[in-house]
Amino acid sequence: MSTQSPLSQAREGNTVDEMLEQVADEIIRGDIAPGTKLDARVMAERFAVSRTPVREMFAHLAAMGLVVRRPNRGVTVAEISDENLMAMYEAMAELEAACARLCALRMTLKERQSLQRLHQSALHHVRDGTTDDYEAYNLEFHSRLYAGAHSPCLRDMALTTRSRLQPFRHAQFRLPQRPSHSWEEHDAIVGAILAGDAEAAARATRAHVLQVSHGSRDYLESNRGNDRPRGAHTHHDGDGGCDA
Amino acid sequence: MSTQSPLSQAREGNTVDEMLEQVADEIIRGDIAPGTKLDARVMAERFAVSRTPVREMFAHLAAMGLVVRRPNRGVTVAEISDENLMAMYEAMAELEAACARLCALRMTLKERQSLQRLHQSALHHVRDGTTDDYEAYNLEFHSRLYAGAHSPCLRDMALTTRSRLQPFRHAQFRLPQRPSHSWEEHDAIVGAILAGDAEAAARATRAHVLQVSHGSRDYLESNRGNDRPRGAHTHHDGDGGCDA
DNA sequence: GGCCCGCGAAGTGTATGCACTTTTCCAAGT
DNA sequence: ACTTGGAAAAGTGCATACACTTCGCGGGCC
């Protein structure tokens, strides 16, 4: 969108990346529900390009794990089985635990102070109870963990995995007492990091993420009966399905 | 390859994937050196296809991190700076440590026995000194760690990261006493896993991988002066470069 | 003699067309 | 009436064609 370029062909650095960012965001935000089929032609029309760059975007989305491409049957936004969801959360837990461990060892003084400030200032979100606000804080908190590890590769893996999990985490904090529990778990993590206790930070983070995963699973299960009765999670999928 | 289909168009499930597997393998095996430019046209001729599927393959390779695509300037097989190499090894260490931790907790009896057998039977490779044999054992050993964690997502991440590291590990075991040291480090890992000591397994694995990373770095540095004097690692690359 | 500008060739990115596969729907048979 | 075969339509995948960008080179200008 934005600058309506008068020319017609050859740029790529803009075309595909812009589409990719936009569509990926829509999937991650949940605007496009898992299981939806993405038609290459309507995508092409929507962005006023031909099907070729759309196909390339699909390839990127598939590589990110946000969509699934089956040989001659088009692409659908990824739909994760319960087992896979738990497996991904488990990987996420290990990833974040590793980050937290490194945070405890390597965060700069500024980063530690900033983390603590962020964490403390979020306390009123817990009381006021604005779910969206807490979710924003939560996102930022975890991002700080990824960054504080000072390991770009780990950070990227964590961000990627989080992106793939994001479509399945919506309304995660709707459960009444979840924000307060979450904040307390964060508190343990912050404490361990500030104290420089690497193993404790790892343990606390792992526990926290696994706790979140249980929330996600319960939330999904409670919705299985109402929202989509025709078993949307039945594709077996063979391998783990989280190559990324 | 295999069945030389007489037809001409529309199959994808074979065409791109076969090319991808083959080229990725060549990059991983080091047949194509890092920094080499891959010409889309000659690729197309080589596989007797048009440039379209070749481009798709390039997209996949880029997503795997094996090649770098610059806007209008073609693709080159990935060349990793020293800092990025170390960062990737660090991530690898955390990934493998997490796997080892889970191995200690969840490996079946059969897996434990099989791991120990593999490890013990490799002892003679250390003495006989066939580097290739030891490397094969080493690959298998680590693969068992990934699998034994029973976490498909972690396994895939580990395999992906290993693929990206592989081109830079060649002749890693050429250093005289490396196999013997490596075997002893493996021994510590196996011991911890068999004993069910999760944290010890994680520590031992992390230490082992970091040890390997130092070997890789030293090997690269010792070759920097001779093999490629015109500084092949100077691209700054901005972000971490291991989005996976 | 050295630097800069413009032109040409090589190569990348996108559009379009065509071949094949899958799916759907309708008709004929049981 | 239900199932089953097949044909048409929809949609994916590849090839080819074309537009634009980048890099290299030679001639003109300082």
Side-chain angles (χ1 to χ4, degrees):
Chain A
M1 56 174 89
S2 61
T3 68
Q4 181 153 355
S5 52
L7 44 79
S8 54
Q9 283 168 358
R11 46 232 140 89
E12 165 75 1
N14 292 341
T15 309
V16 170
D17 279 354
E18 271 186 28
M19 286 166 46
L20 180 64
E21 190 174 348
Q22 191 162 340
V23 175
D25 206 53
E26 286 171 11
I27 294 176
I28 290 170
R29 298 168 62 107
D31 294 354
I32 309 177
T36 308
K37 181 169 183 179
L38 297 181
D39 189 316
R41 192 159 309 178
V42 12
M43 273 291 178
E45 282 182 19
R46 172 180 165 190
F47 288 99
V49 295
S50 87
R51 284 169 34 238
T52 308
V54 171
R55 280 181 56 74
E56 186 143 345
M57 176 188 68
F58 282 170
H60 274 102
L61 287 172
M64 292 190 226
L66 291 177
V67 303
V68 176
R69 272 181 114 172
R70 297 230 272 317
N72 270 310
R73 292 148 75 182
V75 318
T76 57
V77 357
E79 203 160 7
I80 302 185
S81 68
D82 288 13
E83 311 88 62
N84 266 334
L85 185 65
M86 294 316 283
M88 284 182 63
Y89 264 114
E90 188 173 86
M92 191 82 218
E94 295 297 336
L95 241 32
E96 296 213 18
C99 286
R101 209 183 67 84
L102 291 174
C103 280
L105 298 174
R106 318 216 271 223
M107 260 191 167
T108 66
L109 182 59
K110 266 176 115 168
E111 283 173 323
R112 287 170 205 268
Q113 291 172 339
S114 174
L115 180 70
Q116 187 170 28
R117 238 175 310 156
L118 171 74
H119 177 57
Q120 289 300 333
S121 75
L123 189 53
H124 79 270
H125 288 150
V126 177
R127 308 193 190 191
D128 296 1
T130 330
T131 315
D132 284 348
D133 282 349
Y134 187 83
E135 197 164 349
Y137 147 73
N138 184 64
L139 225 60
E140 176 66 16
F141 181 86
H142 286 271
S143 296
R144 299 268 181 109
L145 253 43
Y146 311 154
H150 297 290
S151 182
C153 199
L154 267 181
R155 181 182 57 92
D156 287 348
M157 283 196 280
L159 286 172
T160 303
T161 306
R162 180 168 72 177
S163 289
R164 299 185 57 180
L165 246 18
Q166 204 70 20
F168 304 92
R169 293 185 46 186
H170 286 112
Q172 151 79 357
F173 294 111
R174 294 287 141 75
L175 301 172
Q177 295 215 319
R178 189 65 200 128
S180 130
H181 287 159
S182 170
W183 191 89
E184 282 166 28
E185 289 158 16
H186 285 194
D187 203 52
I189 296 171
V190 172
I193 290 178
L194 291 185
D197 187 340
E199 298 311 324
R203 267 197 310 275
T205 304
R206 188 155 39 223
H208 169 56
V209 177
L210 290 180
Q211 201 66 32
V212 171
S213 83
H214 294 149
S216 252
R217 187 195 48 192
D218 295 346
Y219 180 80
L220 271 190
E221 273 178 5
S222 73
N223 278 42
R224 274 283 150 71
N226 323 330
D227 200 49
R228 29 171 54 158
R230 70 269 189 262
H233 62 296
T234 47
H235 78 267
H236 49 299
D237 191 72
D239 71 311
C242 36
D243 42 287
Chain B
M1 54 181 85
S2 61
T3 69
Q4 181 151 0
S5 52
L7 46 78
S8 52
Q9 283 168 356
R11 49 236 141 103
E12 166 75 0
N14 292 339
T15 309
V16 169
D17 279 354
E18 273 187 25
M19 286 165 49
L20 180 64
E21 190 174 348
Q22 191 162 340
V23 175
D25 205 55
E26 287 172 9
I27 294 176
I28 290 170
R29 296 169 63 108
D31 295 354
I32 310 177
T36 308
K37 180 170 184 180
L38 297 182
D39 189 317
R41 190 159 310 180
V42 12
M43 272 291 177
E45 284 182 18
R46 172 180 164 190
F47 289 98
V49 294
S50 89
R51 282 173 38 238
T52 308
V54 171
R55 281 181 57 74
E56 187 144 344
M57 176 188 67
F58 282 170
H60 275 99
L61 288 172
M64 293 189 226
L66 290 176
V67 303
V68 176
R69 272 181 112 171
R70 296 231 272 317
N72 271 309
R73 290 148 71 175
V75 318
T76 57
V77 358
E79 203 159 7
I80 302 184
S81 68
D82 288 13
E83 311 88 63
N84 266 333
L85 186 65
M86 294 317 281
M88 285 183 60
Y89 264 115
E90 188 172 83
M92 191 82 217
E94 295 297 337
L95 240 32
E96 296 212 17
C99 286
R101 209 183 69 83
L102 292 175
C103 280
L105 297 175
R106 316 216 274 220
M107 260 190 167
T108 67
L109 182 59
K110 265 175 115 168
E111 284 173 322
R112 289 170 204 269
Q113 292 172 339
S114 175
L115 180 69
Q116 186 170 29
R117 239 174 309 154
L118 171 74
H119 178 58
Q120 288 300 334
S121 75
L123 189 54
H124 79 269
H125 287 151
V126 176
R127 309 193 187 192
D128 298 0
T130 328
T131 316
D132 285 347
D133 283 347
Y134 188 82
E135 198 163 348
Y137 147 73
N138 184 64
L139 225 59
E140 175 67 16
F141 180 85
H142 286 272
S143 297
R144 299 268 182 109
L145 253 44
Y146 310 155
H150 297 291
S151 181
C153 198
L154 266 180
R155 181 182 56 92
D156 287 349
M157 282 196 279
L159 286 172
T160 302
T161 307
R162 179 167 74 177
S163 290
R164 299 184 58 179
L165 246 18
Q166 204 69 21
F168 305 91
R169 293 185 47 186
H170 285 112
Q172 151 80 355
F173 293 111
R174 293 286 142 74
L175 301 173
Q177 296 214 318
R178 189 61 200 131
S180 131
H181 287 159
S182 169
W183 192 89
E184 284 166 27
E185 289 158 17
H186 284 195
D187 203 52
I189 296 172
V190 172
I193 289 178
L194 291 186
D197 188 340
E199 298 312 324
R203 269 198 308 277
T205 304
R206 188 154 39 225
H208 169 57
V209 177
L210 290 180
Q211 202 66 34
V212 171
S213 83
H214 293 148
S216 252
R217 187 195 49 194
D218 294 348
Y219 180 80
L220 271 190
E221 273 178 6
S222 72
N223 279 41
R224 273 282 151 68
N226 323 330
D227 199 49
R228 27 173 53 162
R230 71 271 191 259
H233 63 295
T234 47
H235 79 265
H236 48 301
D237 191 74
D239 72 311
C242 32
D243 44 286

